[in-house]
Amino acid sequence: MQSSNHRLRDMEQHHPLLSAGADVETGTGNRTLWFIQDSCGMVCAGMTWFLVLYAEFVVNFVMLLPSKSFWYSLLNGATFNSLAVLALASHLRTMLTDPGAVPKGNATKEYMESLQLKPGEVIYKCPKCCSIKPERAHHCSICKRCIRKMDHHCPWVNNCVGEKNQRFFVLFTMYIALISAHALGLSGMHFFTCIKVQWNECSDFSPGVSVLLLIFLCLEAILFLTFTAVMFGTQIHSICNDETEIERLKNEKPTWERRMRWDGMKTVFGGPPSLLWCNPFTGLRLRRLLLLTHGRRGGSEFSV
């Protein structure tokens, strides 16, 4: 933790430091399976999955399977379903990845002494989670933690977007935008085809049901495409300028060395440009994930 001056500063005078015997979460030892127990976030995350699966149902069973063209159904089905799997995988990685939480309650007297601070050295303590606050960290009232490079808290992924999961959030917005655009294109082709022939011949559902399902899918796709495309562009702009949304809204002057454009992209996505940037499964260890599912609950997130 670096700053121009160095001494301990309480952000709020009424909140004392934790005592030496207090329970301290160091963030080492036991690994955690991150999951925020927020009712609004869990509902929004569930709605996200429902809407994606609804789109899968309409695309596969209303448009593609009844099609008389085998290759049209095969190619579009493989493309749409692959993108949908990548979108849902990115959503899970965003939701279940620690966004960069600062260890809770580490501002103890012993820990402060172990830092061996020099005279005049400044560090900051968050009075809400009683942790030493690194540069560019902000406290999230929903996660109840300070998050490194916190961009914002997104209820649709039931998590903060921060230093460690921003990559997966960018992939989530990109894949949702792609399947939304694909669904709109398929819906347009389906309407055009069914207008030229009898509706009963281009769908296994009745004309009324098919039209209602397609209209709802188009509305969903337009809404999702608009939202995720804008969010994707905003995230790429933030990464290339090395500035989080909170820092931009607060108009904070950078006190850190900025990683601009490709340097910022390499930092977030890891390594030089490659197809691995688009892979939400990169770094996923299934054996560790299965072990973490046997953990216990703790605070606002499941922990192991």
Side-chain angles (χ1 to χ4, degrees):
M1 239 161 305
Q2 298 179 352
S3 187
S4 56
N5 301 317
H6 289 298
R7 68 193 156 91
L8 178 62
R9 212 181 259 178
D10 281 347
M11 295 170 61
E12 293 180 5
Q13 297 296 329
H14 67 274
H15 197 297
L17 285 170
L18 285 175
S19 62
D23 183 25
V24 178
E25 179 181 322
T26 61
T28 60
N30 291 335
R31 296 181 181 272
T32 60
L33 176 63
W34 185 269
F35 181 77
I36 301 302
Q37 300 178 56
D38 174 61
S39 56
C40 176
M42 289 187 287
V43 169
C44 290
M47 286 179 58
T48 301
W49 273 69
F50 170 78
L51 292 172
V52 172
L53 294 177
Y54 170 81
E56 288 247 51
F57 170 79
V58 177
V59 168
N60 288 316
F61 293 98
V62 178
M63 291 188 280
L64 295 182
L65 289 179
S67 176
K68 296 179 180 180
S69 174
F70 170 78
W71 290 109
Y72 175 83
S73 298
L74 179 64
L75 293 176
N76 281 288
T79 301
F80 186 87
N81 288 298
S82 296
L83 292 174
V85 168
L86 291 171
L88 293 177
S90 301
H91 184 272
L92 277 179
R93 293 301 300 274
T94 308
M95 181 170 62
L96 300 179
T97 299
D98 179 352
V102 178
K104 189 188 297 183
N106 65 352
T108 62
K109 182 178 179 181
E110 286 79 3
Y111 184 72
M112 301 298 299
E113 292 175 350
S114 69
L115 295 177
Q116 298 180 347
L117 302 176
K118 299 178 182 179
E121 195 172 356
V122 171
I123 58 175
Y124 295 90
K125 179 181 77 73
C126 176
K128 298 176 182 177
C129 58
C130 208
S131 62
I132 295 177
K133 198 172 185 180
E135 188 178 34
R136 304 187 70 183
H138 293 84
H139 186 87
C140 175
S141 58
I142 298 176
C143 295
K144 297 180 176 61
R145 301 287 286 273
C146 283
I147 308 296
R148 292 183 179 89
K149 290 185 66 177
M150 176 180 169
D151 189 85
H152 67 287
H153 185 96
C154 179
W156 297 104
V157 297
N158 189 33
N159 202 1
C160 277
V161 177
E163 184 178 64
K164 295 183 179 179
N165 68 345
Q166 187 175 25
R167 166 192 178 178
F168 302 119
F169 182 75
V170 172
L171 292 180
F172 168 67
T173 57
M174 181 182 74
Y175 287 126
I176 290 294
L178 288 175
I179 65 173
S180 298
H182 194 186
L184 280 175
L186 290 174
S187 298
M189 287 289 295
H190 194 73
F191 272 116
F192 180 75
T193 302
C194 291
I195 287 174
K196 295 193 301 182
V197 299
Q198 294 294 327
W199 275 90
N200 292 331
E201 298 180 9
C202 64
S203 178
D204 294 335
F205 294 86
S206 65
V209 173
S210 296
V211 170
L212 286 176
L213 291 173
L214 288 170
I215 289 176
F216 187 78
L217 175 64
C218 288
L219 293 176
E220 174 194 342
I222 291 172
L223 179 63
F224 270 45
L225 176 61
T226 303
F227 174 77
T228 54
V230 171
M231 185 59 71
F232 175 78
T234 302
Q235 288 295 301
I236 295 297
H237 180 268
S238 297
I239 293 171
C240 290
N241 287 279
D242 196 13
E243 182 182 46
T244 67
E245 187 65 16
I246 291 179
E247 291 164 351
R248 187 186 68 81
L249 292 174
K250 290 185 174 181
N251 198 25
E252 295 182 0
K253 295 182 180 180
T255 58
W256 59 93
E257 183 180 353
R258 280 187 165 182
R259 296 184 177 91
M260 304 298 286
R261 297 179 176 84
W262 280 112
D263 288 337
M265 295 289 287
K266 291 176 184 177
T267 301
V268 172
F269 287 91
S274 69
L275 290 177
L276 292 177
W277 281 17
C278 301
N279 183 9
F281 300 103
T282 302
L284 181 64
R285 295 188 176 96
L286 293 179
R287 183 178 179 183
R288 179 193 298 176
L289 184 62
L290 291 174
L291 290 174
L292 292 179
T293 58
H294 298 288
R296 58 181 176 81
R297 293 185 179 183
S300 59
E301 70 276 349
F302 293 127
S303 60
V304 176

